[in-house]
Amino acid sequence: VGEGECKDTQYTSGCLYYRGGAVKAPSSIMGAFTALGGDPQRWQNRHVSATTTPVIVELVGAEQWERVKALRLASLRQDPQAFFKLLSEEIDLAEAEWRSRLASANTWVAVLDGGDVGLVTSSPDWDDPNAAHLSGLWVDRSARRCGAAQALSGAVVSHARDTGFRRVVLWVASANAGADRLYAGLGFTRTGRTDTFQPPRDTYTEWKLELML
């Protein structure tokens, strides 16, 4: 997630709400929003001003594969430096592959003004069964600084806490300064592990971050 502009950038703090049971979020994230009860598949990120359009975050399934495909390809096209995979590697994936991805992980989509503007995925970390792995977080440039990235991250963190994970981990690329700042603001810290992209993009470093729950 990089820097960008929203239609109205005057809102600097907000609260996250969703319909259903109470959500316990880490104190670092609670400073930015408060999670309330409701349907865990549908979230709202409301900024302080009543004139701000709410960001809705929806947990989607395999039947919404076309929405997820469109967002994922847009992210790889718009911000290729932020992702390990290239657009050329995913643009021709079959419907069955998109459905399989959605069946094997949790994916949330951010909706603003009735249109899909972002997504994030979470699954158990392959190195640590006690950690949830956040990946693929992206918000369209037209919707940045509207709280969508925080709402998507919050959905992953709250779901991880509610399902018994002890921490949330992720990788962020050195070329993705906006995301690095976002995660630092949410309380994520570097673990000390690093990696690099595959050639010819091996000049990009990746840092592994974690948030203890």
Side-chain angles (χ1 to χ4, degrees):
V1 180
E3 293 300 313
E5 295 296 331
C6 178
K7 296 177 182 177
D8 191 328
T9 58
Q10 308 208 17
Y11 311 105
T12 58
S13 62
C15 295
L16 179 70
Y17 299 89
Y18 84 96
R19 304 183 184 92
V23 169
K24 296 179 180 178
S27 58
S28 58
I29 294 183
M30 289 297 287
F33 54 75
T34 302
L36 301 178
D39 180 358
Q41 295 188 8
R42 194 165 181 85
W43 301 65
Q44 284 190 327
N45 183 52
R46 297 184 183 275
H47 287 281
V48 173
S49 172
T51 62
T52 306
T53 302
V55 175
I56 309 298
V57 178
E58 300 175 356
L59 180 62
V60 298
E63 294 305 313
Q64 286 80 46
W65 70 272
E66 290 178 296
R67 296 172 66 188
V68 173
K69 175 183 177 180
L71 287 166
R72 175 62 176 174
L73 296 184
S75 72
L76 297 176
R77 185 178 294 110
Q78 192 176 113
D79 297 291
Q81 77 287 349
F83 299 100
F84 190 80
K85 291 287 188 178
L86 295 170
L87 177 64
S88 60
E89 297 178 82
E90 301 200 4
I91 194 168
D92 293 324
L93 291 179
E95 174 184 338
E97 175 62 25
W98 293 105
R99 286 179 173 272
S100 176
R101 289 185 177 190
L102 287 164
S104 61
N106 293 304
T107 298
W108 290 265
V109 168
V111 181
L112 181 66
D113 290 331
D116 295 340
V117 297
L119 80 165
V120 70
T121 295
S122 176
S123 59
D125 186 61
W126 50 82
D127 291 330
D128 181 0
N130 293 313
H133 187 96
L134 183 157
S135 62
L137 176 63
W138 179 77
V139 175
D140 186 85
R141 291 174 187 171
S142 66
R144 293 177 189 170
R145 296 187 181 178
C146 295
Q150 290 87 345
L152 287 165
S153 301
V156 172
V157 170
S158 290
H159 182 270
R161 177 181 285 272
D162 288 348
T163 50
F165 289 101
R166 297 178 183 176
R167 61 188 186 128
V168 176
V169 298
L170 59 90
W171 290 89
V172 62
S174 57
N176 198 359
D180 195 32
R181 287 192 294 272
L182 167 73
Y183 296 132
L186 294 177
F188 283 85
T189 58
R190 294 184 187 179
T191 66
R193 287 191 60 186
T194 62
D195 203 346
T196 59
F197 280 14
Q198 296 178 338
R201 300 192 298 161
D202 49 354
T203 56
Y204 292 162
T205 298
E206 283 191 302
W207 301 299
K208 190 170 187 178
L209 310 182
E210 67 177 358
L211 177 71
M212 302 305 296
L213 303 180

